Amino acid sequence: MNVRIVEVGPRDGLQNERTPIPTEAKVAFIAALLNAGLKEIEATSFVSPKWVPQLADAAELWPLLPPGGLYSALVPNGKGLDRAISVGVSRIALFTAASDAFTQKNINMSITESLGAFREVMETFRSSTPGGFVRGYVSTAFQCPYAGIVEPSEVIRVSSKLLALGVDEISIGDTIGAASPREVRDLTRLLLEEFPAEKIAMHFHDTHGTAIANVDAALELGITAFDSSAAGLGGCPYAPGAAGNLATDDLVYFLERQGLKTGVDQAKLAQASLPILKSLGRPVQAKAQLAELASGE
Ligand code: HMG
Ligand code: MG
């Protein structure tokens, strides 16, 4: 069985980093990820540069992306869509949440307002970009940094609204990495009662070290698309306490050892994030990356 990995390192991994990374270094990072076998790569965000300065170069980055990847970018509103369309983005990701407190802090809108904005974005995108792909994120699907435990019924409600708007898939976000496998199992069962597995991706952060166990829980129920970030970089600037994403290195190791095919070369992947880690002054922390690098010494 094949599993889809959506590499979010260049976007989720970098958005929270204060040290400005030059556009060319981002392009080199993305090229190395592609060369390691990752095909779906969330490359940047067309959000307000005041809110996320690190990704202010989205429009400059886009034309420099190496051929061969399926690149996507976050789009929060009509202005972001216009910027994205002007450089030829054909895969966009809209993002809202299952907690109003979070959407307010993250995009300065309520959930309802965000869905209203997305309706217009979808219409413009579909008419301007035939064959385009749209992902809809549902953040804080388990816990919200501002409002605590989130009801699964709210996740189902927001997911239904996004799918009714015509998004091609939803990505269920454990934004602050607080979920346990039991909670993932419970929510996944509810999601699968409503939507086909092919429409659902899971997006785990690894704050408490439960991300791989959460992947396993979702996999057993039939989910086959997972988001992760090379070296486990990441976090949301508007979600205090959110540590890095599940490391792609750990995810690839786990999936391959479970007999699933990822198409990713673990050794090339371990190397791919080293220059960015160096620029950020961060040590290698992902366990599978550490082990891979040690095995090559
Ligand atoms: P706002 O301040 O309410 O927006 O922000 P506004 O419409 O009032 O505009 C304010 C200024 O921003 C204006 O400029 C606009 O032109 C400009 P000024 O007149 O002051 O010079 N502006 C823009 N500029 C460029 N691109 C745009 C854009 N929009 C407005 N798209 C807004 C509202 C949505 C823009 C803002 O809140 C925002 O950009 N938020 C993004 C925050 C973000 O990126 N968060 C991280 C991603 S979500 C995440 O990490 C979770 C995820 O990983 C899943 C998970 O883990 O759960 C996906
Ligand atoms: Mg995230």
Side-chain angles (χ1 to χ4, degrees):
M1 189 171 79
N2 292 322
V3 176
R4 271 177 64 213
I5 296 179
V6 180
E7 167 64 42
V8 297
R11 192 279 302 171
D12 209 347
L14 296 184
Q15 68 184 10
N16 201 24
E17 295 288 350
R18 280 166 194 269
T19 309
I21 303 293
T23 309
E24 303 71 46
K26 293 175 184 172
V27 173
F29 179 36
I30 291 168
L33 293 168
L34 186 67
N35 186 247
L38 290 155
K39 289 278 171 291
E40 292 185 55
I41 302 179
E42 203 169 72
T44 187
S45 297
F46 291 85
V47 296
S48 164
K50 289 184 191 133
W51 286 61
V52 181
Q54 179 69 263
L55 304 182
D57 62 349
E60 290 77 53
L61 174 99
W62 201 267
L64 303 175
L65 293 176
L70 288 174
Y71 302 114
S72 60
L74 256 56
V75 165
N77 56 13
K79 173 145 194 184
L81 183 68
D82 291 346
R83 292 175 58 217
I85 288 175
S86 74
V87 291
V89 176
S90 64
R91 297 172 74 89
I92 61 169
L94 311 174
F95 54 109
T96 186
S99 156
D100 257 323
F102 180 72
T103 53
Q104 236 11 291
K105 297 268 189 199
N106 194 41
I107 49 176
N108 204 18
M109 297 178 221
S110 65
I111 297 170
T112 307
E113 285 167 343
S114 70
L115 293 167
F118 296 165
R119 180 176 299 282
E120 285 179 31
V121 169
M122 283 294 288
E123 278 166 16
T124 312
F125 181 69
R126 291 296 189 205
S127 56
S128 73
T129 315
F133 185 90
V134 184
R135 151 176 277 212
Y137 278 105
V138 184
S139 287
T140 59
F142 299 91
Q143 281 188 39
C144 168
Y146 307 104
I149 297 287
V150 171
E151 287 301 325
S153 57
E154 197 52 16
V155 181
I156 303 294
R157 188 184 75 81
V158 176
S159 302
S160 302
K161 297 263 186 201
L162 283 169
L163 286 163
L165 282 178
V167 304
D168 296 291
E169 75 172 356
I170 49 171
S171 178
I172 303 296
D174 181 17
T175 315
I176 56 170
S180 71
R182 180 178 56 80
E183 291 164 323
V184 170
R185 225 170 275 122
D186 290 349
L187 181 60
T188 305
R189 283 201 183 101
L190 290 175
L191 286 162
L192 290 173
E193 280 172 19
E194 304 287 332
F195 321 114
E198 311 79 67
K199 296 264 177 201
I200 307 170
M202 292 280 174
H203 178 108
F204 296 117
H205 285 252
D206 203 18
T207 316
H208 294 89
T210 53
I212 281 290
N214 291 341
V215 167
D216 196 31
L219 252 182
E220 283 192 2
L221 293 173
I223 304 295
T224 55
F226 298 96
D227 302 352
S228 60
S229 160
L233 289 165
C236 173
Y238 300 100
N245 289 73
L246 164 60
T248 309
D249 309 76
D250 292 347
L251 179 62
V252 167
Y253 182 81
F254 170 76
L255 293 172
E256 293 281 343
R257 297 291 299 145
Q258 292 289 88
L260 299 160
K261 295 273 166 284
T262 64
V264 179
D265 180 319
Q266 190 95 51
K268 287 184 179 173
L269 174 61
Q271 296 291 332
S273 55
L274 292 182
I276 286 279
L277 285 171
K278 195 168 174 220
S279 309
L280 295 171
R282 296 193 181 278
V284 175
Q285 278 176 318
K287 290 225 164 78
Q289 187 181 15
L290 281 168
E292 182 59 44
L293 294 171
S295 75
E297 275 169 6

